[in-house]
Amino acid sequence: MTQSALSSLTLGYRPLWGRTRRLAGIQLYVHEDSGSSADMAHFLRTVDEIWSRQAPPLLISPQSRQVLCNLLEHAPQGSPWIEVRGDWLQQDEGIYELVQKAKARGLMLVWGGSLADVPDADAARCFASSLLSLPPEGAAGLPNAVRSSQPAKDADKEAASGFFASPPLNLLDGQMYQSLQSLELARSCLDEHEAAAVAGWPVADTMQAFRLQQPQPSRDALFRLMKAIDKEQSLDVMEEILGSDPVLAYRFLLYTNSAALGLRRGVDSLRRGLVMLGLGTLERWLADQLPHACTEQDLVPLRTQVVLRARLAEQLIEAGVSLDLQREMYLCSLFSQLDLLLHEPVATILRRTPLNERIFDAIVTRSGPYAAVLQMSQALESRDPAPIRQLREQEEWEAEDLNRMLLRMLSELKLGMPQAQA
């Protein structure tokens, strides 16, 4: 029996964000495990079988020359986009020849490297796009760094201006950019230079930019839930919408457990809260949230990434567990990053709700039955395969099973999620 290619690989992912700050694609990191040689043609067939038509476009980023060469040699027309690292292309004529042949077969290739080292015109013709990284000094007069929480002193400003003693780099229109640390740079890439996508989001700088604003539920999520009530949609649909915004879900649990409602038992799940509250009370509560709802588009990637991690954690929980435990795992992951959105310690946040101790232990003390799943769902967001492999060995996850669960979760996503409401 032929061994599955997924059993010889370590996969990770990173979202690609478009100009509307919605999901524009998925970057899939592909590492070949030590001592193995994966059949990349089989890998591509497997991805094609799993990937749904509604899912975002896929950009495969090989993390070794061997994987890249195998993909370039065997990928048929219509395969996902493939990243080709610029330094490998420059150092290895064999890769350049494979790139030319792959281009001739109709493959969509993406050049990956520094904005300062973009390829010459002849080489650039082989690529449909570029995935560009920026140095700390940034580009277009904008440093690629997290803003300081303290006002810059004159001396600091003078030192910073030294970055631009030489002419600054200019951003290129219509390309993709990665690993941006500055929210201003991300805005410039997407809004002014019409970038095809930004890979990853400057989370730390976004948090710093909005640190003084009172966190509020997303207006889009509120509208979607109110529309679901009007259409008398199922409880499953309402629970899914409620869980699509971590701030809304948290506020909902606070409300359902408030003294004003006087419910006899603590509400420790979204579904139980919906059942106990009733649609009329829920609709009135949602209407009360609307006047102060969040409309900041730059917060959408941050909130959506939290939801992606929760969806993955829900997939990773041991097969065969009850639906209630899957929902609890989802909530555990959803609330694990509330400190980013609410600007206070996560332990303080969680103590305000009657959530199961398993959730508190996994998030705060990194212990208990949910801890490994939570850690793995986080590790899979990275280019670094070491934490994934360590957890895989520690928890006795099979590589093929883990990779299939990741691909399945990603394939269930929808291009442009979360959908904006008018």
Side-chain angles (χ1 to χ4, degrees):
M1 183 175 177
T2 305
Q3 186 181 31
S4 169
L6 293 182
S7 64
S8 304
L9 298 171
T10 298
L11 304 180
Y13 80 101
R14 179 166 62 172
L16 305 176
W17 305 107
R19 295 167 207 164
T20 61
R21 288 18 173 209
R22 264 66 183 174
L23 193 63
I26 295 293
Q27 183 180 13
L28 188 70
Y29 303 121
V30 181
H31 305 264
E32 198 166 47
D33 290 340
S34 178
S36 62
S37 180
D39 182 344
M40 298 313 295
H42 183 269
F43 167 72
L44 289 172
R45 289 195 298 272
T46 303
V47 170
D48 185 60
E49 291 170 2
I50 295 175
W51 213 251
S52 68
R53 291 184 178 181
Q54 67 179 10
L58 187 62
L59 169 63
I60 296 178
S61 292
Q63 299 301 297
S64 71
R65 297 190 191 202
Q66 181 177 341
V67 170
L68 172 62
C69 290
N70 286 341
L71 285 171
L72 292 175
E73 190 171 357
H74 298 294
Q77 186 177 14
S79 295
W81 291 34
I82 299 172
E83 180 191 3
V84 179
R85 279 179 44 173
D87 54 344
W88 294 349
L89 187 69
Q90 191 174 29
Q91 296 163 7
D92 192 329
E93 289 187 5
I95 290 180
Y96 186 51
E97 291 176 5
L98 288 174
V99 163
Q100 291 176 310
K101 292 177 181 177
K103 166 67 175 176
R105 294 202 312 275
L107 261 64
M108 303 296 285
L109 305 178
V110 175
W111 184 90
S114 171
L115 176 61
D117 300 320
V118 292
D120 59 37
D122 287 339
R125 292 190 186 97
C126 295
F127 298 97
S129 186
S130 299
L131 181 61
L132 304 172
S133 56
L134 302 179
E137 56 266 31
L142 297 170
N144 188 24
V146 178
R147 71 193 68 199
S148 172
S149 59
Q150 302 296 328
K153 299 178 181 178
D154 291 341
D156 295 333
K157 293 178 181 178
E158 290 177 9
S161 66
F163 275 141
F164 305 109
S166 57
L169 295 170
N170 292 316
L171 294 170
L172 302 179
D173 293 349
Q175 305 303 305
M176 294 186 283
Y177 290 86
Q178 65 176 335
S179 305
L180 300 179
Q181 303 301 312
S182 162
L183 178 58
E184 290 301 325
L185 259 181
R187 287 170 174 167
S188 181
C189 289
L190 292 169
D191 301 335
E192 298 172 23
H193 295 274
E194 299 183 335
V198 165
W201 194 252
V203 172
D205 199 41
T206 301
M207 291 168 53
Q208 191 66 24
F210 292 98
R211 70 189 185 282
L212 300 180
Q213 290 193 16
Q214 179 68 25
Q216 299 291 346
S218 158
R219 185 184 66 177
D220 287 343
L222 290 169
F223 276 145
R224 290 203 309 274
L225 189 49
M226 294 175 79
K227 187 178 293 186
I229 294 172
D230 289 341
K231 292 183 176 180
E232 299 182 345
Q233 292 186 304
S234 69
L235 201 62
D236 288 340
V237 171
M238 294 183 194
E239 183 183 18
E240 181 180 350
I241 298 171
L242 188 56
S244 70
D245 178 2
V247 177
L248 177 60
Y250 176 68
R251 287 281 187 87
F252 175 77
L253 282 186
L254 289 183
Y255 177 64
T256 54
N257 286 286
S258 65
L261 285 182
L263 299 180
R264 293 183 179 181
R265 293 181 57 188
V267 175
D268 59 359
S269 74
L270 301 181
R271 194 175 191 86
R272 179 172 174 78
L274 288 170
V275 172
M276 297 290 289
L277 198 60
L279 296 184
T281 305
L282 173 62
E283 196 165 21
R284 288 191 294 273
W285 178 75
L286 292 172
D288 290 341
Q289 309 306 305
L290 269 179
H292 307 290
C294 178
T295 59
E296 290 289 351
Q297 294 301 296
D298 290 329
L299 290 173
V300 172
L302 199 160
R303 294 182 189 229
T304 308
Q305 179 63 63
V306 173
V307 172
L308 298 190
R309 185 184 295 185
R311 287 191 176 192
L312 182 54
E314 189 178 33
Q315 290 267 0
L316 293 175
I317 194 71
E318 186 178 353
V321 302
S322 70
L323 195 57
D324 286 343
L325 286 181
Q326 285 184 319
R327 291 184 179 123
E328 190 171 87
M329 186 69 248
Y330 181 93
L331 203 61
C332 175
S333 183
L334 190 73
F335 285 180
S336 67
Q337 298 178 85
L338 277 176
D339 54 328
L340 301 182
L341 298 166
L342 302 183
H343 317 307
E344 58 179 321
V346 71
T348 303
I349 295 169
L350 295 178
R351 287 194 180 99
R352 300 192 186 110
T353 65
L355 293 173
N356 192 293
E357 288 184 5
R358 291 187 291 262
I359 294 179
F360 186 91
D361 290 344
I363 297 173
V364 179
T365 66
R366 298 173 66 85
S367 62
Y370 293 161
V373 171
L374 194 61
Q375 291 164 31
M376 180 61 86
S377 63
Q378 179 180 0
L380 287 166
E381 297 171 3
S382 169
R383 185 191 296 266
D384 183 5
I388 301 173
R389 289 168 177 161
Q390 181 180 351
L391 278 167
R392 201 170 67 194
E393 181 178 353
Q394 173 185 312
E395 301 299 321
E396 298 182 346
W397 268 307
E398 294 292 337
E400 180 175 359
D401 294 340
L402 188 64
N403 289 331
R404 281 190 182 276
M405 286 187 283
L406 173 61
L407 289 173
R408 190 180 304 119
M409 185 281 288
L410 295 174
S411 74
E412 291 171 355
L413 303 178
K414 293 183 179 180
L415 178 65
M417 70 170 288
Q419 296 298 324
Q421 301 295 305

